[in-house]
Each structure stands twice: as C-alpha cells, then as structure tokens.
Amino acid sequence: MARANKRVGLAIADSVFGPWRRADEPILPTRPGRFDSFLTSNPAPCVRKDGSVLLIYKARHYEGNLHSGMTIGVAYADHYEGLYRVLSDEPVFPPDSFHIEDPFIWQTNEGYNMIAKDMEGHLCGEKYGGIYAESPDGLKWSLHGQPQGYSRTVCWDDGTVQTLGNLERPFLLFQNGKPTHLFAAVSDGSDGFKDASDTWNMVIPLKQ
C-alpha cells in the first residue's frame, strides 16, 4: 500500500532548517495505462540557468495483476514549482532492456550526464553498481563509453577494501563546476538490505 502511494512531491523553505511549506498535491501524479501508472518516485532535478527544470524520475506501471521493473521517465517545468509535464509516453530507458533506479543528472556543455543504480548489473557489469549515461537533450540517453559510474567496492582511508551490500541514491557535490564528492546510502551486508546489520550515508571523495 505504501509503495502504491509513492509520488513525487515538493516542499519549499527559505532555509534548510525550515519552516517548510509542503505542496498539497504531488507534482508528478501517476498516469493510468502508462509506464508510470503505479508510482512516481526518486526525483532527480536539473535546474537550468533560465530557472526551468528537467526532472528525471523513477517509475513503474501496474496493470492487471503484474507490475513492471523500475524504469526512468523525464518531465519538464518552466519553474521548479511547476507545472510539470511528462515529455514522453515511453520511458527513457525501456524496462525490457534496462532495470534501473535512483538517477542523478547534471548539465554539461554537450547536454546531460546521469548516474543511476543498475538493479541487475546487466549494463555496468555489477549488480547494484552504477551506470553512467549521457544525453544531448535529456530525452535520448545512451550508455557512456565507460558505462560503470561507480562500484559497491570501496577503499577506506586505512587501505581496507570492502564490497558493500548497497550503494544507492547517488548524489554528486559540485564545487566550482566540477564534481568533488559522491554521496550514497549504503549498507554493510552482502545482498542488498536483506542481511545488513548497519546502514549509513557515505561521502566518497572523487579523484580529479
């Protein structure tokens, strides 16, 4: 029931400490009969210089008694408060070929780049690892020449190497226009959250 009611919403505040003003309605409702008929979730906004927003989001459809794998849609708004409209009746990545979630996008001189969680590992070569994709317009995406954006195997400051159970919801910190740190939700298990004993938010410095 909780998953079936997941929607992309919006809350606004002058400070991260609040108070927050929450929109009464979702900015991306589900659409019956479409690829996002079951849920909309995990929004990845790219606010452009003119104030408009390209929004990538996770979607899933549920028709009859079956639900699809998770896939990615794209929406647009002239301003971050909306109105948002979905730009394509088809998912950005077809779910029969791509089973991904947790997108993060940013704008480049050539268009847009994306990292996202590869649920099966068919694209980046590692289950729950991250794909790296690029697009000239935010609508047509293809895998980068080096398709793996990140790995669940990390090296700690003391040289210890560990393969984490999860490394997901990736977000990049940009400083002076360049990505410097990757933030992700992680677990210490070996099979996602199923056998995890601890979870935390990890900050990984990036090599320039």
Side-chain angles (χ1 to χ4, degrees):
M1 182 62 70
R3 173 166 285 191
N5 282 281
K6 290 175 70 174
R7 305 290 184 270
V8 176
L10 178 69
I12 300 172
D14 293 329
S15 166
V16 293
F17 300 105
W20 290 86
R21 174 171 58 86
R22 181 172 179 261
D24 293 332
E25 298 292 335
I27 60 174
L28 273 183
T30 53
R31 302 180 302 158
R34 308 292 176 84
F35 69 89
D36 49 8
S37 65
F38 182 55
L39 61 77
T40 64
S41 182
N42 298 27
C46 181
V47 182
R48 303 190 284 200
K49 291 182 179 179
D50 62 0
S52 63
V53 180
L54 184 76
L55 181 71
I56 301 290
Y57 64 99
K58 182 176 85 172
R60 205 169 194 176
H61 76 73
Y62 190 98
E63 304 298 335
N65 295 314
L66 299 173
H67 59 70
S68 71
M70 289 169 284
T71 189
I72 303 295
V74 58
Y76 171 85
D78 291 325
H79 186 269
Y80 65 82
E81 290 193 66
L83 179 74
Y84 286 85
R85 68 178 189 275
V86 179
L87 296 182
S88 174
D89 286 336
E90 298 296 328
V92 171
F93 294 116
D96 56 343
S97 302
F98 296 83
H99 190 192
I100 60 176
E101 64 167 349
D102 297 348
F104 176 88
I105 64 168
W106 66 99
Q107 195 166 16
T108 69
N109 293 332
E110 294 76 28
Y112 298 89
N113 284 358
M114 175 197 298
I115 52 177
K117 180 183 176 183
D118 187 347
M119 296 297 292
E120 305 293 344
H122 297 157
L123 304 173
C124 74
E126 179 184 347
K127 185 176 181 179
Y128 300 154
I131 67 163
Y132 183 20
E134 54 193 354
S135 169
D137 56 8
L139 281 172
K140 298 178 181 179
W141 291 85
S142 60
L143 292 177
H144 191 270
Q146 296 180 339
Q148 185 164 23
Y150 60 85
S151 171
R152 290 187 293 123
T153 300
V154 299
C155 181
W156 295 89
D157 287 341
D158 63 3
T160 303
V161 176
Q162 180 182 4
T163 299
L164 301 166
N166 290 83
L167 198 152
E168 56 187 270
R169 297 306 300 266
F171 285 81
L172 293 176
L173 172 65
F174 284 80
Q175 299 184 86
N176 298 320
K178 294 185 178 181
T180 59
H181 296 77
L182 171 70
F183 290 74
V186 303
S187 73
D188 62 354
S190 61
D191 187 18
F193 293 115
K194 296 177 182 178
D195 60 350
S197 60
D198 198 7
T199 63
W200 65 98
N201 191 41
M202 178 175 280
V203 184
I204 302 174
L206 304 178
K207 293 182 179 180
Q208 295 299 316

